Amino acid sequence: QVQLVESGGGSVQAGGSLRLSCAASGDIFFRHIMSWYRQTPGKQRELVASINAGGSTNYAAFAEGRFTISRKDPNKTAYLQMNNLNPNDSGVYTCNYWGQGHEVWGQGTQVTVSS
């Protein structure tokens, strides 16, 4: 079993920054991917960014240049640094773990960006 604990959401004004954290614990497979997804009002959940155990990253187009995903081992924590936020970035951000065919979702954290 893998557990995910998220933190770092909140409210910020446009142009501001937030950093989300996702701490994974339990039976973490060596080859795994940790990702951040988001669901904004009126849209389906979408991938924001992902990082694998080796540190390779992948970003959605809207995240490129503004968001940075990173990880800190051995405590298996993934971070999402979000800069230059705008109101369109408001939504629920959820951490995801995938490894050895197992997928786990975090509880989600609200991000609200005001204009």
Side-chain angles (χ1 to χ4, degrees), residues 7-12 18-20 82 85 90-91 109-113:
S7 61
S11 298
V12 66
L18 285 172
R19 188 174 84 152
L20 308 182
M82 303 186 292
L85 287 161
S90 297
T109 185
Q110 178 70 42
V111 170
T112 302
V113 185

Side-chain angles (χ1 to χ4, degrees), residues 6-81:
E6 301 161 342
S7 61
S11 298
V12 66
Q13 289 190 328
S17 300
L18 285 172
R19 188 174 84 152
L20 308 182
S21 300
C22 176
S25 61
D27 297 329
I28 298 170
F29 187 59
F30 177 73
R31 288 194 179 93
H32 66 272
I33 299 171
M34 294 183 72
S35 305
W36 284 98
Y37 285 77
R38 74 179 189 183
Q39 185 161 21
T40 56
K43 294 187 177 181
Q44 292 187 335
R45 184 163 57 190
E46 58 185 347
L47 176 70
V48 178
S50 62
I51 185 167
N52 67 16
S56 296
T57 58
N58 179 53
Y59 293 92
F62 65 80
E64 285 275 12
R66 297 190 301 133
F67 296 0
T68 302
I69 190 169
S70 60
R71 60 183 295 139
K72 184 175 180 180
D73 294 309
N75 58 345
K76 301 293 188 293
T77 299
Y79 302 96
L80 183 68
Q81 177 68 42

